């Protein structure tokens, strides 16, 4: 891979050990994927934040990197293993909390913004169309590729951090126009609820794996798009999709000769049934990906005239600190029924051993809850799930 003189100097360690390690990682990735050169990025988003997922090895790596390196572009952070203020209410152990705080403090020393959310594009990290970025978090990177029209590969946490430190990423994959063409048409006929879009994403992800789908027949808003992106990335590895009449580049791509796959209510029902493994949830967790302001507002108006049952299961509404600050009145309504948690989610928090059956309206969460959190799962719309609460 071609390196400029300055990039050679970084690789030789002339700008410190942290930058040298970051450059080594980018060069290794570039060689693996036959990148010609590095390309500048305008922002990064990092995964690998929860102590549950990165452990002591991850904490040591971040501590070492934070000694003499800093990010050089706007860089945001994925959810951590706990609400940094309300972790005791989540029954997180003190030892976990201490390690989690150390991880956040290492990111802070690196210059990363520590508003931990998987919807940074709703909270100030909004790349422009055509910009190259280095984003981890499969749901968020699919959203920026597809809905915002920026360009990122499916980065892992260390690769995104290295790119953030150097301000560049290897030029390959989805940074190149020729790799961003749709490869299959999805004719969808489904309902218009958030859970319908989530289950559609799940069914499509399972069917097409890493292909690039072009959707016809649906009109999702931002919340439908974000939950579809999350589900497709979790069930398959979809990192880019088009929706006719909705996503910006959909009108300019060529669909000639592409195979068409039909997904209807039968497939949506099958997806829902396959994801449901439990019956009586002791936790209802909404906000995968993190709830938007619209979702918080809709949930609050749904619950406003209702009264909580005394035997209701615990409820989590997961969102970003930014959104929580924007709608205090709606948050107060939700707090009558559960906890509005920030910085974290039902997957990266250590819920195993505390809860055993979790209900959610997110197909992505349903995919990960059994394996990553040892949970039985109930999959349904938020309105139906919340019936257990009032
Ligand atoms: Fe976000 Fe956690 Fe879901 S990081 S996309 S809420 S698994």
């Amino acid at each position: 891979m071609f390196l400029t003189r300055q990039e050679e100097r970084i690789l030789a360690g002339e700008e410190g050990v942290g930058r040298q390690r970051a450059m080594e990682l980018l060069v290794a990735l570039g060689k693996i994927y036959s990148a010609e050169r590095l390309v500048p990025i305008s922002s990064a988003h990092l995964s690998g934040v929860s102590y549950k997922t990165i452990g002591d090895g991850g904490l040591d790596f971040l501590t070492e990197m934070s000694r003499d390196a800093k990010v050089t572009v706007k860089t945001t952070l994925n959810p951590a293993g706990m609400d940094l203020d309300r972790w005791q209410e989540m029954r997180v152990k003190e030892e976990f909390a201490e390690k989690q705080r150390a991880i956040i403090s290492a990111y802070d020393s690196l210059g990363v913004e520590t508003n931990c959310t998987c919807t940074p594009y709703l909270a100030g990290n909004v790349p422009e169309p055509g910009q190259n970025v280095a984003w981890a978090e499969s749901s968020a990177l699919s959203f920026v590729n597809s809905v915002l029209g920026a360009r990122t590969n499916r980065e892992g946490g260390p690769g995104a951090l290295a790119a953030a430190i150097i301000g560049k990423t290897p030029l390959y994959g989805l940074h190149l126009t020729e790799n961003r063409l749709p490869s299959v048409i999805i004719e969808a006929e489904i309902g218009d609820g958030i859970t319908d879009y989530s289950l559609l994403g799940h069914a499509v992800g399972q069917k097409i794996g890493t292909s690039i789908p072009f959707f016809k027949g649906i009109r999702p808003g931002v919340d439908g798009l974000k939950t579809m992106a999350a589900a497709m990335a979790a069930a398959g590895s979809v990192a880019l999709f088009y929706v006719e009449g909705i996503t910006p580049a959909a009108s300019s791509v060529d669909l000639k000769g592409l195979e068409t796959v039909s997904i209807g209510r039968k497939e949506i029902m099958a997806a829902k049934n396959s994801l449901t493994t439990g019956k009586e949830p002791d936790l209802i967790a909404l906000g995968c990906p993190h709830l938007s302001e619209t979702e918080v507002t809709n949930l609050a108006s749904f619950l406003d005239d209702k009264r909580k049952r005394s035997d209701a299961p615990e409820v989590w509404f997961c969102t970003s600190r930014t959104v929580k600050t924007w709608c205090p009145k709606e948050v107060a309504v939700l707090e009558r029924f559960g906890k509005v948690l920030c910085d974290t989610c039902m997957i990266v928090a250590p819920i195993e051993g505390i809860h055993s059956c979790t209900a959610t309206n997110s197909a992505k969460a349903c995919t990960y809850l059994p394996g990553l959190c040892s949970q039985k799962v109930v999959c349904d719309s938020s309105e139906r799930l919340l019936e257990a609460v009032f």
Side-chain angles (χ1 to χ4, degrees), residues 130-340:
Q131 284 184 335
N132 289 300
V133 298
W135 281 40
E137 172 46 45
S138 60
S139 68
L141 68 90
S142 178
F143 191 95
V144 298
N145 267 329
S146 315
V147 183
L148 302 184
R151 298 180 168 208
T152 179
N153 280 317
R154 219 179 131 102
E155 299 286 352
L161 175 60
I165 289 170
I166 303 299
K168 295 179 182 177
T169 193
L171 181 61
Y172 71 94
L174 293 175
H175 292 287
L176 301 170
T177 305
E178 63 266 31
N179 297 327
R180 298 177 64 87
L181 305 175
S183 48
V184 58
I185 297 170
I186 307 291
E187 284 272 5
E189 206 187 322
I190 62 161
D192 196 34
I194 294 298
T195 316
D196 294 299
Y197 287 118
S198 198
L199 291 168
L200 172 65
H202 183 80
V204 170
Q206 278 202 319
K207 219 169 193 107
I208 68 166
T210 56
S211 302
I212 300 178
F214 184 102
F215 286 90
K216 292 183 173 190
I218 53 170
R219 308 256 342 140
V222 166
D223 296 320
L225 290 162
K226 82 174 162 65
T227 195
M228 245 172 78
M232 268 190 287
S237 299
V238 176
L240 168 63
F241 62 94
Y242 297 85
V243 182
E244 191 173 44
I246 301 279
T247 59
S251 57
S252 58
V253 289
D254 186 4
L255 303 177
K256 256 186 248 123
L258 296 187
E259 176 202 1
T260 298
V261 172
S262 296
I263 305 274
R265 285 168 202 266
K266 194 173 110 216
E267 285 77 13
I268 297 298
M269 228 1 148
K272 183 178 161 190
N273 291 340
S274 72
L275 290 168
T276 299
T277 54
K279 271 202 178 113
E280 291 194 16
D282 53 41
L283 174 66
I284 297 174
L286 305 175
C288 170
H290 274 176
L291 295 170
S292 68
E293 187 180 8
T294 310
E295 288 176 301
V296 169
T297 306
N298 290 344
L299 286 166
S301 66
F302 176 69
L303 288 171
D304 198 19
D305 59 350
K306 309 201 167 51
R307 266 224 219 138
K308 188 178 172 184
R309 291 161 60 131
S310 57
D311 60 348
E314 188 168 340
V315 184
W316 289 3
F317 303 97
C318 300
T319 189
S320 66
R321 284 204 177 267
T322 314
V323 166
K324 188 173 178 183
T325 315
W326 283 340
C327 35
K329 276 195 203 137
E330 290 78 6
V331 165
V333 173
L334 300 189
E335 284 283 342
R336 290 190 353 237
F337 296 88
K339 299 178 180 69
V340 179

Side-chain angles (χ1 to χ4, degrees), residues 79 118 137 139 287-289 345 347 364:
C118 52
E137 172 46 45
S139 68
C288 170
C345 79
I347 302 298
K364 172 174 178 176

Side-chain angles (χ1 to χ4, degrees), residues 344-357:
T344 191
C345 79
M346 65 297 276
I347 302 298
V348 296
I351 63 168
E352 51 280 8
I354 301 172
H355 299 283
S356 59
C357 182

Side-chain angles (χ1 to χ4, degrees), residues 15-204:
E15 295 188 9
V17 178
R19 280 172 70 74
Q20 181 182 30
R21 287 195 67 184
M23 185 57 92
E24 283 170 355
L25 187 53
L26 295 183
V27 169
L29 284 169
K31 283 187 178 159
I32 291 169
Y33 293 106
S34 307
E36 262 175 47
R37 61 185 170 89
L38 298 176
V39 65
I41 56 167
S42 61
S43 78
H45 180 72
L46 312 181
S47 61
V49 185
S50 170
Y51 178 63
K52 168 171 155 175
T53 56
I54 68 169
D56 288 322
L59 172 56
D60 292 347
F61 169 74
L62 290 170
T63 308
E64 199 189 319
M65 292 299 278
S66 67
R67 281 203 187 104
D68 71 345
K70 287 252 185 256
V71 299
T72 56
V73 293
K74 183 178 183 67
T75 304
T76 46
L77 213 50
N78 227 28
M82 60 190 203
D83 184 309
L84 296 166
D85 295 333
R86 301 178 74 179
W87 56 273
Q88 279 157 318
E89 292 173 58
M90 297 171 66
R91 287 170 272 168
V92 168
K93 294 199 173 99
E94 173 66 47
E95 193 199 346
F96 183 101
E98 206 174 293
K99 301 275 190 180
Q100 187 61 72
R101 283 192 294 262
I103 291 169
I104 299 297
S105 147
Y107 277 122
D108 189 44
S109 304
L110 279 156
V112 176
E113 294 174 21
T114 55
N115 176 9
C116 302
T117 178
C118 52
T119 55
Y121 47 85
L122 300 179
N125 190 352
V126 192
E128 300 279 328
Q131 284 184 335
N132 289 300
V133 298
W135 281 40
E137 172 46 45
S138 60
S139 68
L141 68 90
S142 178
F143 191 95
V144 298
N145 267 329
S146 315
V147 183
L148 302 184
R151 298 180 168 208
T152 179
N153 280 317
R154 219 179 131 102
E155 299 286 352
L161 175 60
I165 289 170
I166 303 299
K168 295 179 182 177
T169 193
L171 181 61
Y172 71 94
L174 293 175
H175 292 287
L176 301 170
T177 305
E178 63 266 31
N179 297 327
R180 298 177 64 87
L181 305 175
S183 48
V184 58
I185 297 170
I186 307 291
E187 284 272 5
E189 206 187 322
I190 62 161
D192 196 34
I194 294 298
T195 316
D196 294 299
Y197 287 118
S198 198
L199 291 168
L200 172 65
H202 183 80
V204 170

